[in-house]
Structures are given as structure tokens and as C-alpha cells.
Amino acid sequence: MSSEPLVLGIETSCDETGVGIVRGTTLLADAVASSVDEHARFGGVVPEVASRAHLQAMVPTISRALSDAGVAADDVDAVAVTAGPGLSGALLVGVAAAKAYSVALGKPLYGVNHLSAHVAVDLLEHGPLAEPCVALLVSGGHSSVLLVPRIGGEQITELGATVDDAAGEAYDKVARLLGLPFPGGPPIDRLARDGDPAAIAFPRGMTGAHDPPFAFSFSGLKTAVARWVEARQRAGEAVPVADVAASFQEAVADVLTAKAIRAAREQGVGHLVIGGGVAANSRLRALAQERCDAAGLRLRVPRPGLCTDNGAMVAALGAQLVAHGAAPSALDLPADSALPITDVLV
Ligand code: KG4
Ligand code: ZN
């Protein structure tokens, strides 16, 4: 093995077939094949369609990543794969592929947690993470505030999570009711730029004095948006879509950043990391920067392309595990659709 491990990472937890190649903390390739267009007309990811698309895309995407990185399969020192959480059938395709490459190449296998990988990926862009740090993880299926002692090292502690919808899920549902395409985050983000974030005072869920400080709730916000839009429509008035998008987005970004920053302060850490698909959101990024500056915290958010699902994040976490001497996973590694956020390695 050369000084730093060359790790191949495979991600198939949802609708992106991602294959990343990393040497230590250096990103060499990030190939992604998405089946999102095949799901769009259903308004959400159809698990069977995603699994079949992963199967078709897997080998070509691995070949593309190897050629982009300019390395041969034999050069790979370890294979990392998302073992969960995610869609069972989709995860199975990635885990089976990773096992096959691991056996064929005679290299160790690391089954990793998709959510930890969303946090780890930032080290490819901004160098090693501070230890410990607080992480805000915001994706299509999860929204949590985490205390991360050492990425790839000790267990992660969940300080709080959503009690109902995830932030990304709220974006997707609100987009649907506004007649915007799936996934809803990008079109709402774009539309909101032409809207007034203060136009409508949407509720900030879970921010009462007696609410758990790091828990989230976005289902009431989604209902509030639906009611507001319906009332307009019933009155025969036009719906100011850009204002609705901007006001909804402001409510999400306000709550997420306020709670994450409070957690960092209470934990006495100097760094906040934001990861997951919703971390690509322009308003969340801007507001987090503004509030971290005011609180004297260092903010780290990967570039938008590394926030949404990809294989580079899996390879990045795999390389940390190899570097810390973690024991590889067993070859009968299961795909665990409900893998707890605290389990970094399976
Ligand atoms: O992390 P991710 O790619 O997949 C999961 O692990 O779930 O996150 C997908 C979620 C979707 O709900 C999508 O609407 C949201 O991330 N998303 C965004 C943006 N880009 C993607 N939400 C808000 N603003 C964005 N720019
Ligand atoms: Zn994800």
C-alpha cells in the first residue's frame, strides 16, 4: 500500500449510483449516474425502479470512476460501500457489487453509514474535520444534529432529530403542492431568489420554550404552506409562488441554523459542519455563514455537488476508517435499511 490508501466508494442508498475514488483525503474521481428522471413522473423515488437502474449503472459507473482517476482496479487498497440507511433493494445492489469487487481484487471491504459519509465528505474539500465538531445532517430522509468526536473513530452522538418529516422531505412535499418537479429542493431554491422571505410568516416548528432544543418538526410547516395556498386558490387569487417558496425556505433555514449553532455553543465546539442534500441550499448556506460569523464559529459546508448523494463521500469515510486502523467488515455484511445514525461502520 502506498503512503495513503486508495479507496473505491460505492453509494446506492437512493436513486444515485455513485462511485468515488479517494486517496487519503484527496478526491480523484466522483462518477454519478442518477435515475431521477425515471422517478420524476411518480413524484418520488420508486424503489424497484431505483434498484434496476443501480444494477444497470454499476459496472459502467465503476469503470468511469477508475478511468477518471487514472487508476486500475488492481491499484485499489480497499472497497467502501453504503451499508445503510436507505432503500433495501437499492442498498443490496451496492453491497453485492462491493463484495464482488472486494473478493475479486482481494482487498478489504468497509460497510459504512450513509449519514456519517455525508459529514465526512467535507474533508475532501476543506481538510481534516475538527475533533470534536457538531454536524447538522439534512437530507431527504434525515434531519439531525450530531456530535462527531472523530470521523471514522468513536461513535457519533445524536443530540436531536426530526420527529416527523426530514427537511428534504418538506422541500419535496412543498414543491409538489406548488406544482414544481421532483426533487423539490433545487426548484424551490431557484424560485425563492425572486421571492420575499418575509412575505408570509410560516411557523417555526419545535421552537417553543418547552420543546427539545435539538429536535425538529417540519410537518406542521408543510401543512401551513398547503393551507395558505389552498386559501388563496379558494378565494380565486393567484398564488405568489416565489414568495411562498422564499418564506417556506426561510422558515426551514432559520430553524436548522438556530438549533445547530445552539448545539455547537452548548457543546463548546468551535466548528459546525453541514452535510446532506439540503446543505446544497443557497439560503441555508448563507444564513449559516451569517450566524456562525456572529457566534464566532467556523462553518464548513462541502460544495453543492458533494452535498447530494455521491460515491466520493463513501470513499472519503472509508479512507478515514483505513487510516484509523478500523477492522474491515465481514463478507456477509448485510444491507441495513434502518441502520442507526450512530453506527459509522458495520
Ligand atoms: O442527501 P440526499 O441527496 O439524499 C438522501 O440521502 O436523502 O438528499 C436529497 C434531498 C431531497 O429531498 C432534495 O429535495 C434535497 O435534498 N435538496 C435540496 C437542494 N438540493 C437537494 N433541498 C434544498 N435546496 C437544495 N438546493
Ligand atoms: Zn444522502
Side-chain angles (χ1 to χ4, degrees), residues 31 49 79 93 97 107 109 115 123 154-156 170 192 195 223 247 254 301 310 313 325 328-329 343:
V49 173
V79 180
V93 178
K107 299 295 162 63
L109 173 71
L115 307 171
L123 59 80
E154 300 94 82
Q155 277 218 329
I156 287 174
T223 307
S247 301
D254 180 19
V301 198
N310 63 79
M313 65 193 213
S329 305
D343 295 356

Side-chain angles (χ1 to χ4, degrees), residues 11 13-16 114-115 118 138-142 167-172 182-186 189 249 276-282 307-309 313:
E11 153 61 36
S13 68
C14 194
D15 57 343
E16 261 90 39
H114 178 83
L115 307 171
H118 267 308
V138 275
S139 70
H142 294 82
E169 195 178 350
Y171 267 94
D172 297 338
F182 173 85
D189 197 348
Q249 177 160 281
V278 181
N281 185 259
S282 61
C307 290
T308 46
D309 290 349
M313 65 193 213

Side-chain angles (χ1 to χ4, degrees), residues 10-19 32-39 45-62 64 87 89-91 93-94 97:
I10 298 176
E11 153 61 36
T12 63
S13 68
C14 194
D15 57 343
E16 261 90 39
T17 311
V19 180
V32 178
S34 178
S35 61
V36 67
D37 295 343
E38 295 175 53
H39 308 287
V45 175
V46 183
E48 290 79 4
V49 173
S51 307
R52 177 169 291 270
H54 286 309
L55 204 52
Q56 287 167 344
M58 183 56 65
V59 174
T61 310
I62 289 181
R64 186 150 59 89
L87 304 170
L91 288 167
V93 178

Side-chain angles (χ1 to χ4, degrees), residues 46-311:
V46 183
E48 290 79 4
V49 173
S51 307
R52 177 169 291 270
H54 286 309
L55 204 52
Q56 287 167 344
M58 183 56 65
V59 174
T61 310
I62 289 181
S63 304
R64 186 150 59 89
L66 289 168
S67 113
D68 288 352
V71 298
D74 271 342
D75 300 334
V76 168
D77 296 311
V79 180
V81 62
T82 297
L87 304 170
S88 295
L91 288 167
L92 269 176
V93 178
V95 169
K99 287 176 181 174
Y101 277 89
S102 162
V103 171
L105 300 172
K107 299 295 162 63
L109 173 71
Y110 292 84
V112 307
N113 189 309
H114 178 83
L115 307 171
S116 326
H118 267 308
V119 177
V121 72
D122 188 65
L123 59 80
L124 296 177
E125 203 168 6
H126 300 117
L129 297 183
E131 300 166 359
C133 64
V134 162
L136 171 67
L137 175 91
V138 275
S139 70
H142 294 82
S143 296
S144 305
V145 180
L146 308 171
L147 179 65
V148 182
R150 179 167 66 112
I151 201 76
E154 300 94 82
Q155 277 218 329
I156 287 174
T157 305
E158 185 170 66
L159 302 173
T162 182
V163 298
D164 41 54
D165 293 351
E169 195 178 350
Y171 267 94
D172 297 338
K173 288 177 174 171
V174 166
R176 189 171 192 163
L177 69 90
L178 293 178
L180 301 170
F182 173 85
I188 289 185
D189 197 348
R190 272 193 300 277
L191 254 178
R193 288 182 197 146
D194 301 322
D196 175 5
I200 310 151
F202 285 130
R204 270 58 169 165
M206 279 280 164
T207 53
H210 302 292
D211 287 328
F214 308 124
F216 300 109
S217 169
F218 295 109
S219 145
L221 170 61
K222 168 203 67 193
T223 307
V225 175
R227 293 233 173 91
W228 196 93
V229 169
E230 280 158 19
R232 279 283 177 133
Q233 286 167 336
R234 261 201 312 278
E237 293 169 29
V239 176
V241 183
D243 283 348
V244 174
S247 301
F248 159 75
Q249 177 160 281
E250 195 63 20
V252 175
D254 180 19
V255 176
L256 289 176
T257 53
K259 294 201 174 211
I261 287 169
R262 178 171 170 190
R265 298 187 83 153
E266 280 188 17
Q267 294 294 326
V269 305
H271 289 73
L272 172 66
V273 183
I274 310 184
V278 181
N281 185 259
S282 61
R283 181 58 185 151
L284 175 62
R285 299 168 78 95
L287 188 59
Q289 189 63 65
E290 206 177 285
R291 290 183 172 176
C292 279
D293 288 347
L297 289 170
R298 293 281 297 277
L299 174 68
R300 295 182 42 156
V301 198
R303 61 175 180 268
L306 291 177
C307 290
T308 46
D309 290 349
N310 63 79

